[in-house]
Amino acid sequence: MGYAPPMEKFVIHGGIPLRGSVRVSGSKNAALPMMAACLIASGPIRLRNVPDLADVRTMAGLLQTLGVVSNVQGGVWSLHAVDDQACRADYELVRQMRASICVLGPLLARRGRGVVSLPGGCQIGHRPIDLHLKGLRALGAEIQIENGYVIASARQLRGAYVHLGGEQGSTVTGTCNVMTAACLAKGTTVIDAAASEPEVVDLGEMLVAMGARIEGLGTSHLVIQGVDELHPVDYAIIPDRIEAATLLIAAIITRGSVTIEQCLPHHMGAILDKLRETGVEVKCHRNAIQVSVTAPLKPCDTRAVPYPGFPTDVQAQWTALMTLTSGRSVVTDKVFPNRFMHVSELLRMGADIRRDGDCALITGVPQLSGAEVMASDLRASAALVLAGLAAQGQTTIHRMYHLDRGYEQLEAKLRCLGADVVRVPE
Ligand code: EPU
């Protein structure tokens, strides 16, 4: 089966300040491991607030090959593993989406075997899964790499001590994999250097609602007591903090005034702090954030690091914003040091950026100008959309299928705020 994403482009006429209010969808990076966790449940799970995204459909397709019957209605997915024989996630699906690796821990814990294609290279840099494998091996799994596949088996996982820190910090999906598997292991597992991203916490809370015993969620030290069974659950996914940040930057880069609704400001502390540093007015309510721009944007140096720091998934969008400030700034990515594919496209729009290792050195320019550019990955395509919204004239962004992996109807949301953006077949 060949994979051919739809070839569409965005055409944007920039320069319109965005105004109004817009709602954030459910979190992609919470939804994907939570969907995979249906493999360890003893009955159907029901997930609410699931965003309608290409990655979500890819995960559902993968789960179907693993014996899961799913159906979706209005953002509510029900997922039921009715056949527990299949254990293999093929290259064809895994190469479309690296988060497919999230099935490995659940397969191993519940079916005693998982065969998952190694994800391979990626536009945002080298992305090994050694920490996932280290954690699962510590729980007693036998793991080999053969013909491009991870082949893992274990009659019964056993609780153990696991340290999940790597050179770039912890691992988000690695923590999801090991934590989920440990829920059905015999005895106690301690995970140190666990990721504390809100998406990991949300998965953990869903597992707890299914009967898992997990302590320390939201910290780097998790203690998990294995249980015999995880039961069905009905669970609502948190709002997507990365989409919320992208929409906030859309408002600011166009010098507009926008309220982002149905988001959780307490998941976005580092981003909101940085926005205030640029001189933007930021008002937080319980489930909403309001921003407005009244003065020239000040440059500010930013480092993407694991949570609770500034997220790497907002680095590209932030770089686009910094191109239009009144001075120099340095944007560093400590999580994915090569995640700078957007830089060369922003240069084509008149930005002044120099790449130096894991940094982008940016000198603000008074104006970007519309151009034809190419999206290379999900967040890079969001950065180009933001630049296009601010630029003078017409911007055409090719390969928008990257954006559809992680943003639900972004162009419709932007249009609601007054943007002139249309999707056109190539
Ligand atoms: N790493 C290792 N070994 C491992 C795993 C990771 O060295 O076994 C390194 C990576 O190379 C990277 C760092 O650790 O330098 C962090 O990677 P992590 O494993 O945390 O990334 P991930 O779990 O593969 C998730 C998100 C990404 C997000 C990162 C970092 C999902 C489905 N994906 O990926 O989201 O950038 O965490 O926060 O949750 C996106 O949404 O655009 C996206 C790429």
Side-chain angles (χ1 to χ4, degrees):
M1 183 183 67
Y3 167 60
M7 280 298 169
E8 289 168 334
K9 59 188 178 188
F10 269 23
V11 178
I12 302 175
H13 290 99
I16 305 170
L18 301 190
R19 300 201 189 284
S21 58
V22 65
R23 282 178 159 213
V24 172
S25 301
S27 160
K28 166 181 85 81
N29 289 346
L32 298 173
M34 286 159 97
M35 291 174 78
C38 78
L39 294 166
I40 57 166
S42 61
I45 70 166
R46 204 159 170 265
L47 292 176
R48 283 178 281 126
N49 201 29
V50 180
D52 183 17
L53 301 173
D55 275 9
V56 164
R57 291 187 289 273
T58 304
M59 179 58 86
L62 169 59
L63 291 171
Q64 188 184 6
T65 69
L66 295 170
V68 174
V69 172
S70 62
N71 75 67
V72 56
Q73 215 165 25
V76 182
W77 279 80
S78 96
L79 299 149
H80 189 187
V82 292
D83 176 358
D84 63 3
Q85 294 307 300
C87 293
R88 184 182 165 93
D90 272 325
Y91 178 64
E92 196 48 43
L93 283 160
V94 178
R95 79 182 176 96
Q96 288 174 40
M97 186 186 69
R98 299 184 55 87
S100 304
I101 193 69
C102 291
V103 301
L104 183 61
L107 282 176
L108 198 56
R110 174 90 179 171
R111 302 185 182 179
R113 186 173 160 82
V115 180
V116 179
S117 168
L118 272 172
C122 167
Q123 289 291 351
I124 68 176
H126 180 47
R127 295 179 71 183
I129 56 159
D130 56 309
L131 296 169
H132 300 232
L133 304 187
K134 173 183 162 188
L136 295 172
R137 279 193 177 112
L139 298 183
E142 296 260 348
I143 301 183
Q144 273 112 39
I145 310 289
E146 267 173 36
N147 308 115
Y149 280 77
V150 178
I151 302 176
S153 59
R155 216 168 276 146
Q156 168 69 64
L157 294 175
R158 301 203 170 269
Y161 176 80
V162 181
H163 187 273
L164 279 185
E167 273 175 29
Q168 264 76 37
S170 189
T171 161
V172 171
T173 51
T175 304
C176 294
N177 253 330
V178 179
M179 174 173 75
T180 308
C183 290
L184 289 186
K186 271 248 164 321
T188 306
T189 297
V190 173
I191 306 179
D192 266 335
S196 62
E197 270 68 5
E199 295 76 21
V200 178
V201 175
D202 209 29
L203 168 68
E205 283 175 354
M206 182 185 88
L207 293 168
V208 168
M210 294 164 77
R213 295 174 60 199
I214 308 173
E215 276 170 29
L217 285 169
T219 75
S220 60
H221 180 77
L222 299 178
V223 181
I224 303 156
Q225 313 279 348
V227 296
D228 292 334
E229 191 176 73
L230 293 177
H231 45 73
V233 73
D234 183 329
Y235 194 89
I237 293 175
I238 52 169
D240 197 309
R241 64 193 167 104
I242 308 301
E243 188 204 357
T246 306
L247 290 165
L248 287 172
I249 297 173
I252 294 161
I253 203 168
T254 61
R255 309 190 59 80
S257 171
V258 166
T259 302
I260 309 291
E261 292 173 347
Q262 221 168 279
C263 61
L264 293 175
H266 66 275
H267 287 168
M268 300 176 63
I271 299 162
L272 298 178
D273 252 20
K274 280 290 159 192
L275 287 179
R276 289 191 178 101
E277 243 182 275
T278 65
V280 168
E281 205 174 291
V282 180
K283 283 191 198 140
C284 290
H285 309 275
R286 202 165 67 88
N287 294 116
I289 303 168
Q290 203 178 346
V291 287
S292 50
V293 182
T294 48
L297 291 174
K298 289 186 236 162
C300 60
D301 295 347
T302 305
R303 284 159 73 92
V305 290
Y307 192 81
F310 191 93
T312 172
D313 292 343
V314 186
Q315 179 264 108
Q317 303 89 311
W318 190 260
T319 300
L321 181 66
M322 288 298 104
T323 64
L324 287 169
T325 66
S326 57
R328 290 177 183 214
S329 55
V330 183
V331 175
T332 310
D333 198 323
K334 288 289 173 197
V335 181
F336 293 115
N338 289 311
R339 192 178 204 176
F340 286 101
M341 296 290 283
H342 42 288
V343 167
S344 42
E345 300 303 296
L346 290 172
L347 291 177
R348 303 193 65 251
M349 299 179 72
D352 181 348
I353 311 176
R354 198 157 55 80
R355 195 48 220 285
D356 183 12
D358 60 3
C359 297
L361 313 175
I362 305 158
T363 305
V365 292
Q367 188 66 259
L368 295 175
S369 61
E372 292 218 23
V373 290
M374 192 76 79
S376 55
D377 68 75
L378 169 57
R379 307 303 171 188
S381 48
L384 297 178
V385 171
L386 297 174
L389 291 173
Q392 234 162 19
Q394 178 174 311
T395 296
T396 304
I397 311 173
H398 299 278
R399 302 204 177 156
M400 288 316 291
Y401 60 87
H402 290 292
L403 191 89
D404 297 333
R405 294 189 49 188
Y407 289 93
E408 184 178 57
Q409 303 214 351
L410 187 66
E411 75 270 30
K413 291 186 184 185
L414 293 172
R415 271 202 300 270
C416 279
L417 298 173
D420 181 351
V421 44
V422 286
R423 181 188 290 263
V424 203
E426 289 277 11

